[in-house]
Amino acid sequence: MKCRGGDREAFGPIVESYRRRAYFTALGLVGNREEAYDLSQEAFVRAFRAIGRFDPAREFAPWFFRILRNLCASAHARRKTRREDSLEKLREDGREFPAGDRFSPELLAERNEAAERVWRGLAELDAKHREVVVLKDLQGYGYREIAEILDIPIGTVMSRLYHARRKLKEKLLGEEASRAV
């Protein structure tokens, strides 16, 4: 690994391959686009600075995402109130969705509303439950990878994920029921 010797250009492909996942992981953990971007960039800077401590016999992703997770946890601790992101805000920032039956205004409104409910539900979970949902359900990591990233046993990952999904479901169903009244 050339970047272990301080070669910034060798680190570039690593950044490119993890950039998108890092951003969306941070977004799921902190709930703010700008902060997620800043934190994901800071995680790459810190990873590059600490690359000499990385064990090349191990996988890079768990090591890197542990750095990112710790940054997000610190940011979240500094800022107790969590702002939400929505698909509508993404659209305002220039994200366009193709026209067609699947993207009718009514269907998009329903999807936006559902997405906002999920983001609100995630925001209400405590950090340890939110992070397992983000890593498993939004980022698609396996139990072993999550255990490595969070530095906890696989059984704890499974337990937290079970309880997090149950709590999220209760919040979403409770919100749905209160909206129906």
Side-chain angles (χ1 to χ4, degrees):
M1 197 179 231
K2 282 184 169 183
C3 55
R4 286 181 53 94
D7 185 346
R8 290 175 194 243
E9 287 185 31
F11 197 68
I14 294 171
V15 172
E16 274 307 306
S17 64
Y18 289 98
R19 181 176 51 105
R20 187 171 167 81
R21 282 176 50 192
Y23 169 76
F24 283 107
T25 297
L27 180 60
L29 294 174
V30 299
N32 177 278
R33 291 183 320 266
E34 293 83 15
E35 190 172 17
Y37 179 78
D38 290 344
L39 290 168
S40 61
Q41 295 303 306
E42 178 64 21
F44 285 116
V45 169
R46 290 190 184 192
F48 181 76
R49 287 180 184 155
I51 199 74
R53 293 189 305 254
F54 171 66
D55 178 2
R58 299 184 65 112
E59 290 184 45
F60 177 79
W63 180 77
F64 171 75
F65 283 99
R66 193 172 309 120
I67 293 169
L68 178 61
R69 172 201 174 235
N70 291 340
L71 282 169
C72 291
S74 295
H76 193 69
R78 286 190 304 269
R79 180 188 47 78
K80 291 290 183 185
T81 58
R82 179 179 165 119
R83 293 177 295 191
E84 300 165 3
D85 248 323
S86 69
L87 292 176
E88 186 61 37
K89 289 180 185 175
L90 292 174
R91 184 179 289 118
E92 289 171 9
D93 287 346
R95 294 271 314 259
E96 290 298 322
F97 299 96
D101 292 339
R102 294 183 353 202
F103 298 99
S104 69
E106 296 82 19
L107 187 55
L108 283 173
E110 285 178 31
R111 287 182 185 160
N112 287 346
E113 191 174 306
E116 287 180 20
R117 285 195 313 268
V118 171
W119 281 113
R120 279 194 303 272
L122 274 173
E124 292 176 16
L125 293 176
D126 59 47
K128 71 181 184 181
H129 288 109
R130 182 175 50 253
E131 66 191 3
V132 294
V133 170
V134 167
L135 292 172
K136 179 69 175 152
D137 296 331
L138 299 181
Q139 295 299 316
Y141 285 103
Y143 292 110
R144 184 183 60 69
E145 293 171 305
I146 296 170
E148 277 189 59
I149 291 169
L150 302 179
D151 197 25
I152 58 176
I154 289 177
T156 303
V157 171
M158 293 170 22
S159 174
R160 284 185 187 174
L161 188 59
Y162 169 80
H163 290 291
R165 286 175 173 164
R166 192 186 52 145
K167 287 178 182 181
L168 186 57
K169 182 179 178 180
E170 288 172 5
K171 289 177 186 305
L172 295 176
L173 290 177
E175 188 174 312
E176 186 72 27
S178 67
R179 291 167 29 83
V181 173

